[in-house]
Amino acid sequence: LINIMEHKQEARNPFFRVVDLTDTTEDPALWGKNFPMQYDGYKRTVDQIRTRHGGSEAIARTPTQVDPRSVVAQSRLEEDPRLKTMWAGYAFAVDFREERGHAYMLDDQTFTERQQVVKQPGTCMHCHASVYVPYKNLGGRDLIKGFEKMNHMPYSEARKLVSHPVACIDCHDPATMALRVTRPGFIEGIRALKASQGIQNYDVNAMATRQEMRTYVCGQCHVEYYFKGPEKRLVYPWAKGLKIDSIMAYYDETEFKDWTHAETKAPALKAQHPEFELWNQGIHARSGVACADCHMPYKREGALKISDHHVRSPLLNINRACQTCHKWPEEELKARAETIQERTFRLRNVAMDALVDLINDLKMVRTADSTNSALATAQQYQRKAQFYLDFVEAENSTGFHAPQEAERILGESINFSRKGQVALRTLLTGK
Amino acid sequence: LINIMEHKQEARNPFFRVVDLTDTTEDPALWGKNFPMQYDGYKRTVDQIRTRHGGSEAIARTPTQVDPRSVVAQSRLEEDPRLKTMWAGYAFAVDFREERGHAYMLDDQTFTERQQVVKQPGTCMHCHASVYVPYKNLGGRDLIKGFEKMNHMPYSEARKLVSHPVACIDCHDPATMALRVTRPGFIEGIRALKASQGIQNYDVNAMATRQEMRTYVCGQCHVEYYFKGPEKRLVYPWAKGLKIDSIMAYYDETEFKDWTHAETKAPALKAQHPEFELWNQGIHARSGVACADCHMPYKREGALKISDHHVRSPLLNINRACQTCHKWPEEELKARAETIQERTFRLRNVAMDALVDLINDLKMVRTADSTNSALATAQQYQRKAQFYLDFVEAENSTGFHAPQEAERILGESINFSRKGQVALRTLLTGK
Amino acid sequence: MKIQSTVTVFLSIVVGLAIGVGSYTFIYAKGGSYLTNDPAACANCHIMNEQYDGWLKSSHHSVAVCNDCHTPPGFVPKYLTKAENGFWHSFAFTSGDFHEPIQIKERNREVAEKACRKCHQEIVDAIEAPHGEGEQISCLQCHREVGHP
Ligand SMILES: [Ca+2]
Ligand SMILES: [Ca+2]
């Protein structure tokens, strides 16, 4: 009885505003007072459970002075040492782990060994902390100014200005709880993208639909990016489009490189978590299915339906994440996703072998004759092959977000790697 | 008004049995007396309409003594001359056209120029004519015996025994109109496949479900095949499975080859219309969607729903073929299919270039030194690359039946071609 | 003047015919079923059989009839919608001139969207409240099959 009455109460007045939330209320615990169910889910992103290709595994470690974490995710470098060859000379070859829940984002960034080998700029913070309030403070209430200022700082200094992983205020307007985009990188990136499609001055917070926002809030971070120029401005390379070919063209045009490959001297690129970009090429995007539909599906709590703020692999939550749209049994849906992933993983391995072969060849030829004129051609092939492969490798759905496109990209990567090998040998034989 | 009355009438009494149909009634016109609506559709397979990648175009030609056809479908060899390089030395390099409706199957087989350059066996008839009654007659009521006998004949002799393209009796039991499989190739092929999955003595006509039969009747012909041994027995290479890798392994184990490539001497294979096999790897097959669901969708004739016997591209019939399951507008569904096809076509072109490069290299090296020990390795790569590429190329949906798998296959094909090139050059340079 | 009366006459004939044919259809095809709430009545048109069969097996079979989802709340709007749909469907059915498979039209889709909220307002308060009168999410994007597949 009491239960029913409670339910009725809740229903009529879904949320009790216990605390006054303002545009400077950063601490999610405070927001949690008004929205305890969402907050409960949010806190559960500490869970670590592995799926066949996703989730993450909790690996115990002995905390040290420089790295006080007692639990990390499994090392991807140990799982596949070919990655070290691909990233030779870049910080990723030192430490690269499976990503885990949002709760860890700030710590994992602060303590990754990558920080110990390279001095990073404050730009990094954009996607690993609740930066909305710090940006606003730094910029004298001007978000973009604050962003620019933090980009300029060394990481260690910027680190002192933030205190939470992504928090409620990063996705929500405190007054209405409506979604909003708070990240300059996305605001500018999507504006450039829309401009390339003929839509000028796109203002995401004013012009996006609610359903689009259910993707865009994730697209704030789950995207390919680079640091532009000496100001280390965070830029999403979308000015020519979201397809890999457009992104490649963009980087080629500006002759951007992330680093010089240690063993081959190729001007290499590192792709990073292009979930938004790949999703965009898939059938779910085309059908209007947003990130939140699968990663934050509605769930019933008492008499209410709320969004599951335990953001995680949908394969750990198939009944809510998939079954409202797909009436297949859970096991079957899992098998479908895994069939797609296995197929991707298989061609990814073919592509990885091809790339390693090219790198070995390049190394060998360079050692023999570093002025060989085929080197430049082969290095360009490596640059391309590597970026294409990494685009699928670094994307975290193992192809699920756009199965056919993922294989297409890998197919092209294989072509680049092997053509690089052929080019090297052609010059050697003169044929 | 009349319309409504008719509807009510029809609903009560679907078919009038005007003619007695027996197991020897071959002429579809007779069946058509009982089932005029199905017969009307059946006759319409003479239509020629092009879709972006399918259908067919009616090309006028001047009839000649050897080839009295006044209309044919467009030449695929003219559309893409690289095909001639791939098939050098094989009849397909002489004449290969876009396939068209069932009404043409007998004529197109009889008069293709391929017949003029190679003497074909009676086996060919299996899929291009109504052979059920002829087989039965030849074998003294024993279907398999008749099949074997016709396989042995020269084509021209077998040709005299048949008179119709695929007809009602090839798919239907005349007594009940239930679907049935009449083709020995499929009966034996699916038995071998099931045996490999642990199911012994599979009898397709007794054990398949109705929904399976809605695919199997098409699988009688729309499959990869070869002529085994001197008896030229028609065999579907499924004893290890339906995936391309299993089929390749099957051919490699028996060291089967269709012909020796004229320019490279590689022991080459020709893949032929593996619609059934590719469909099997796709999400529609997995969801239980049969060939007939898309290519013979139900259509309303008055109050009746009948299967559209105008077998054709579903993209010419989207509302019935797709919209029963997908509530998207027609234009959108077409765009979805074409997006898949464009992506396939693009990687197919990359794979085709790679193969042509390998063939050219092989030719060059053979000319220079025909005892070179890298040749054998490179020829094996050509054999594989070519079969993988052709599996997608010869499959008629341009990837639609299994989009991700099609790209996977093309990716592997590219790898084989380019590795072949590398192998050739490695030997030349000793590296 | 003359033109006008010709038009009037013409129009009267057309309207008269429409009404005549419409009512004939209406009666003969048991179009009166539009006026009841009995789902079986909708299935008087064989063309509604698919939805009827689907509805019989649906989660809403015991809780909602066709009209709960396909007519707006309130007596007048309800019967207006019925009249409009009834007329057009009878007309379409008789002439045989309609898109197959039948597609819900925007107006009726909105009616259905509202219907979901009619019964489920409370449970979706939480996901709708933040958006006030603003843009609402479409229930049908995830639940289009609850009434019938
Ligand atoms: Ca993970
Ligand atoms: Ca065709």
Side-chain angles (χ1 to χ4, degrees):
Chain A
L1 262 184
I2 292 177
N3 212 345
I4 292 190
M5 282 196 293
E6 269 179 14
H7 286 184
K8 290 214 160 181
Q9 286 259 329
E10 275 174 16
R12 234 172 283 128
N13 195 349
F15 306 114
F16 296 97
R17 310 278 168 152
V18 183
V19 179
D20 230 16
L21 301 173
T22 73
D23 211 33
T24 57
T25 316
E26 191 174 296
D27 187 355
L30 290 173
W31 293 61
K33 294 235 175 354
N34 289 356
F35 311 106
M37 292 177 292
Q38 284 84 359
Y39 183 56
D40 281 350
Y42 172 85
K43 282 188 297 183
R44 289 199 52 200
T45 58
V46 292
D47 289 2
Q48 290 196 256
I49 302 178
R50 226 186 142 134
T51 60
R52 175 125 27 136
H53 292 276
S56 71
E57 195 176 325
I59 309 276
R61 69 180 292 283
T62 318
T64 60
Q65 192 84 36
V66 275
D67 182 355
R69 293 174 300 173
S70 57
V71 173
V72 291
Q74 76 268 30
S75 166
R76 299 289 315 285
L77 297 176
E78 276 166 33
E79 282 176 358
D80 190 343
R82 289 173 299 182
L83 292 170
K84 294 191 201 169
T85 308
M86 164 149 88
W87 295 325
Y90 201 46
F92 277 87
V94 175
D95 186 14
F96 172 58
R97 296 180 177 278
E98 173 66 26
E99 91 287 21
R100 48 182 175 160
H102 281 168
Y104 298 103
M105 62 169 72
L106 190 45
D107 277 359
D108 282 348
Q109 183 181 61
T110 308
F111 301 117
T112 175
E113 281 180 56
R114 300 208 289 275
Q115 292 277 12
Q116 295 161 31
V117 295
V118 183
K119 247 184 99 66
Q120 300 288 8
T123 319
C124 292
M125 218 52 82
H126 184 279
C127 302
H128 284 261
S130 184
V131 289
Y132 180 72
V133 176
Y135 278 173
K136 282 272 200 171
N137 289 344
L138 260 181
R141 310 313 303 146
D142 183 331
L143 188 75
I144 302 290
K145 272 217 187 96
F147 162 66
E148 287 165 346
K149 276 203 175 151
M150 198 181 290
N151 290 347
H152 277 124
M153 297 180 175
Y155 181 83
S156 53
E157 232 174 88
R159 179 63 187 81
K160 293 180 202 140
L161 304 178
V162 303
S163 22
H164 296 281
V166 63
C168 321
I169 198 164
D170 295 297
C171 299
H172 290 285
D173 178 328
T176 64
M177 289 308 286
L179 291 178
R180 66 170 175 186
V181 168
T182 57
R183 291 303 190 271
F186 191 86
I187 294 170
E188 296 176 354
I190 194 96
R191 196 188 297 138
L193 174 68
K194 294 280 179 179
S196 79
Q197 298 162 349
I199 302 163
Q200 301 304 324
N201 303 318
Y202 186 77
D203 176 350
V204 60
N205 283 314
M207 293 156 87
T209 64
R210 176 176 171 195
Q211 184 64 6
E212 284 172 339
M213 288 302 272
R214 291 166 55 85
T215 290
Y216 289 172
V217 291
C218 315
Q220 299 187 98
C221 303
H222 288 268
V223 297
E224 160 63 3
Y225 70 90
Y226 78 114
F227 295 163
K228 188 176 173 180
E231 324 82 50
K232 301 280 177 196
R233 190 183 196 85
L234 180 68
V235 174
Y236 300 169
W238 302 339
K240 292 169 179 287
L242 288 179
K243 277 201 196 168
I244 185 164
D245 318 276
S246 320
I247 296 177
M248 189 78 229
Y250 175 93
Y251 283 138
D252 280 348
E253 194 173 286
T254 55
E255 293 188 20
F256 177 79
K257 67 170 182 220
D258 277 307
W259 88 106
T260 301
H261 194 271
E263 300 180 340
T264 67
K265 305 299 168 208
L269 293 167
K270 172 83 190 75
Q272 273 120 173
H273 34 74
E275 278 90 58
F276 176 69
E277 292 90 336
L278 192 67
W279 163 84
N280 209 273
Q281 301 307 316
I283 197 74
H284 282 106
R286 184 144 198 160
S287 306
V289 187
C291 316
D293 291 344
C294 298
H295 291 281
M296 299 182 66
Y298 291 122
K299 71 170 189 182
R300 186 173 177 154
E301 292 261 8
L304 289 180
K305 251 175 91 167
I306 60 153
S307 299
D308 190 346
H309 279 63
H310 180 191
V311 176
R312 61 180 151 158
S313 164
L315 300 185
L316 297 170
N317 194 16
I318 291 177
N319 65 332
R320 297 199 183 95
C322 320
Q323 284 183 321
T324 31
C325 296
H326 299 286
K327 309 285 170 201
W328 309 105
E330 281 191 36
E331 272 317 303
E332 169 62 14
L333 280 162
K334 190 158 159 236
R336 287 180 182 209
E338 287 182 355
T339 302
I340 290 170
Q341 293 184 317
E342 288 301 318
R343 217 179 260 135
T344 309
F345 193 64
R346 179 178 169 158
L347 203 61
R348 168 236 186 239
N349 282 331
V350 174
M352 190 73 80
D353 281 341
L355 178 70
V356 169
D357 284 350
L358 171 59
I359 290 175
N360 287 339
D361 282 1
L362 256 167
K363 219 161 63 178
M364 204 168 60
V365 176
R366 272 194 75 251
T367 318
D369 171 12
S370 67
T371 63
N372 191 314
S373 66
L375 283 173
T377 312
Q379 281 162 342
Q380 282 301 321
Y381 277 126
Q382 184 194 338
R383 170 183 162 94
K384 281 203 159 55
Q386 192 155 318
F387 187 63
Y388 273 65
L389 165 56
D390 211 1
F391 203 85
V392 177
E393 160 61 27
E395 208 278 342
N396 286 289
S397 70
T398 320
F400 179 84
H401 292 145
Q404 197 199 10
E405 175 73 352
E407 296 295 73
R408 199 268 295 176
I409 294 172
L410 291 171
E412 308 239 16
S413 171
I414 294 170
N415 195 40
F416 294 137
S417 286
R418 299 293 183 201
K419 276 179 94 163
Q421 286 187 281
V422 170
L424 277 180
R425 288 175 166 73
T426 299
L427 217 104
L428 291 181
T429 60
K431 271 168 201 151
Chain B
L1 292 191
I2 293 175
N3 212 345
I4 291 192
M5 286 198 286
E6 268 179 14
H7 289 184
K8 290 209 160 185
Q9 288 255 331
E10 279 170 13
R12 241 172 277 130
N13 197 345
F15 305 114
F16 298 95
R17 311 278 167 151
V18 181
V19 177
D20 231 15
L21 302 173
T22 73
D23 210 31
T24 56
T25 316
E26 191 173 294
D27 187 355
L30 290 174
W31 293 60
K33 295 234 165 19
N34 288 357
F35 310 105
M37 291 176 290
Q38 284 83 0
Y39 183 56
D40 280 351
Y42 173 85
K43 282 188 298 182
R44 291 198 51 201
T45 59
V46 292
D47 289 2
Q48 291 197 256
I49 302 179
R50 228 185 142 134
T51 60
R52 174 120 36 130
H53 292 277
S56 71
E57 195 176 325
I59 309 276
R61 69 182 291 282
T62 319
T64 62
Q65 191 84 36
V66 274
D67 183 355
R69 292 173 300 173
S70 56
V71 172
V72 291
Q74 76 268 30
S75 165
R76 298 289 316 284
L77 297 175
E78 275 165 33
E79 282 176 358
D80 190 343
R82 290 173 298 182
L83 292 170
K84 293 190 199 168
T85 308
M86 164 149 90
W87 296 324
Y90 202 46
F92 277 86
V94 175
D95 186 13
F96 172 58
R97 295 178 178 280
E98 173 66 26
E99 90 289 20
R100 48 183 176 158
H102 281 170
Y104 298 103
M105 61 169 72
L106 190 46
D107 277 358
D108 282 348
Q109 183 180 61
T110 308
F111 301 116
T112 174
E113 281 179 53
R114 298 208 290 275
Q115 292 276 14
Q116 296 161 29
V117 295
V118 184
K119 247 186 99 66
Q120 298 290 6
T123 319
C124 292
M125 219 51 83
H126 185 279
C127 302
H128 285 261
S130 185
V131 288
Y132 179 74
V133 176
Y135 278 173
K136 282 273 201 172
N137 290 344
L138 260 182
R141 311 312 303 145
D142 183 330
L143 188 75
I144 302 291
K145 272 217 187 97
F147 161 65
E148 289 165 346
K149 277 203 177 153
M150 197 181 292
N151 291 346
H152 277 124
M153 298 181 175
Y155 182 84
S156 52
E157 231 174 273
R159 179 65 187 80
K160 294 180 201 139
L161 304 177
V162 303
S163 23
H164 296 280
V166 63
C168 321
I169 197 163
D170 295 298
C171 298
H172 289 287
D173 178 329
T176 63
M177 288 310 285
L179 291 179
R180 65 171 175 186
V181 168
T182 57
R183 291 304 190 270
F186 191 86
I187 293 171
E188 295 177 356
I190 194 96
R191 196 188 296 137
L193 174 66
K194 293 282 179 178
S196 79
Q197 298 162 348
I199 302 161
Q200 300 305 324
N201 303 318
Y202 185 78
D203 176 350
V204 60
N205 282 314
M207 293 156 86
T209 62
R210 173 175 167 200
Q211 183 63 7
E212 283 172 338
M213 287 303 270
R214 291 165 54 84
T215 291
Y216 290 172
V217 291
C218 315
Q220 299 187 99
C221 303
H222 287 269
V223 297
E224 159 65 3
Y225 70 89
Y226 77 113
F227 294 164
K228 189 176 174 181
E231 323 83 49
K232 301 282 178 193
R233 190 184 195 85
L234 181 68
V235 174
Y236 300 169
W238 302 339
K240 292 168 180 285
L242 288 179
K243 277 200 196 169
I244 185 164
D245 317 275
S246 320
I247 296 177
M248 188 78 229
Y250 174 93
Y251 283 137
D252 281 347
E253 195 172 286
T254 55
E255 293 187 21
F256 177 79
K257 66 170 184 222
D258 278 307
W259 88 106
T260 300
H261 195 272
E263 300 180 340
T264 68
K265 305 299 168 209
L269 294 168
K270 172 84 190 73
Q272 273 121 174
H273 33 75
E275 278 90 58
F276 176 70
E277 293 89 336
L278 192 68
W279 162 85
N280 209 274
Q281 301 307 315
I283 198 76
H284 282 107
R286 184 144 198 161
S287 306
V289 187
C291 317
D293 288 329
C294 300
H295 290 280
M296 300 181 66
Y298 291 116
K299 71 170 189 184
R300 191 181 306 284
E301 291 267 1
L304 282 181
K305 275 197 167 181
I306 62 152
S307 301
D308 189 346
H309 279 62
H310 181 191
V311 176
R312 61 180 152 158
S313 165
L315 300 185
L316 296 170
N317 194 16
I318 292 177
N319 61 332
R320 297 204 182 89
C322 320
Q323 285 184 325
T324 32
C325 298
H326 298 285
K327 313 274 172 198
W328 308 106
E330 287 185 30
E331 272 316 303
E332 170 61 14
L333 280 162
K334 188 158 160 238
R336 287 179 182 210
E338 287 181 354
T339 303
I340 290 170
Q341 293 184 318
E342 287 303 318
R343 216 180 260 133
T344 308
F345 193 65
R346 180 178 168 157
L347 203 61
R348 169 235 186 240
N349 282 332
V350 174
M352 190 73 79
D353 281 340
L355 178 70
V356 169
D357 284 351
L358 171 60
I359 290 175
N360 287 338
D361 282 1
L362 255 166
K363 221 161 63 178
M364 202 169 60
V365 175
R366 272 195 74 249
T367 318
D369 170 13
S370 68
T371 63
N372 191 313
S373 65
L375 283 173
T377 313
Q379 282 162 344
Q380 283 301 318
Y381 276 125
Q382 184 194 337
R383 170 183 162 94
K384 280 200 159 54
Q386 191 156 319
F387 187 63
Y388 274 64
L389 165 56
D390 210 2
F391 203 84
V392 177
E393 160 61 27
E395 208 278 340
N396 286 289
S397 70
T398 319
F400 179 83
H401 291 145
Q404 196 199 10
E405 175 72 352
E407 296 296 73
R408 200 268 296 175
I409 293 172
L410 291 171
E412 308 239 16
S413 171
I414 294 169
N415 195 39
F416 294 136
S417 287
R418 299 293 183 199
K419 277 181 93 164
Q421 286 187 281
V422 170
L424 278 179
R425 288 174 166 75
T426 300
L427 218 105
L428 292 180
T429 61
K431 271 170 201 150
Chain C
M1 212 34 199
K2 188 138 186 272
I3 294 177
Q4 221 175 35
S5 62
T6 315
V7 170
T8 315
V9 170
F10 179 72
L11 275 181
S12 333
I13 293 173
V14 169
V15 171
L17 261 179
I19 293 174
V21 172
S23 356
Y24 178 87
T25 309
F26 198 72
I27 294 157
Y28 182 74
K30 303 203 191 127
S33 46
Y34 261 109
L35 302 175
T36 85
N37 259 341
D38 181 2
C42 299
N44 271 337
C45 271
H46 56 74
I47 212 122
M48 297 287 105
N49 276 345
E50 217 164 275
Q51 286 75 19
Y52 183 68
D53 291 346
W55 173 77
L56 285 176
K57 293 173 216 126
S58 79
S59 59
H60 282 67
H61 169 224
S62 54
V63 296
V65 295
C66 314
N67 285 334
D68 287 322
C69 295
H70 292 297
T71 53
F75 184 83
V76 173
K78 176 169 175 173
Y79 282 93
L80 269 181
T81 301
K82 281 188 171 217
E84 185 186 327
N85 284 345
F87 178 79
W88 284 114
H89 297 179
S90 303
F91 188 77
F93 185 71
T94 309
S95 64
D97 177 22
F98 54 89
H99 183 280
E100 287 201 67
I102 296 169
Q103 289 170 327
I104 196 152
K105 295 187 181 53
E106 186 53 28
R107 193 173 157 279
N108 284 315
R109 204 189 54 76
E110 280 165 20
V111 168
E113 283 276 355
K114 289 214 179 79
C116 310
R117 290 161 169 95
K118 198 163 60 185
C119 297
H120 297 293
Q121 190 54 57
E122 294 194 346
I123 204 168
V124 299
D125 264 350
I127 60 174
E128 304 223 302
H131 302 274
E133 290 306 300
E135 194 179 354
Q136 297 302 5
I137 207 153
S138 159
C139 311
L140 304 194
Q141 199 205 339
C142 300
H143 299 297
R144 78 183 326 151
E145 298 189 339
V146 292
H148 44 80

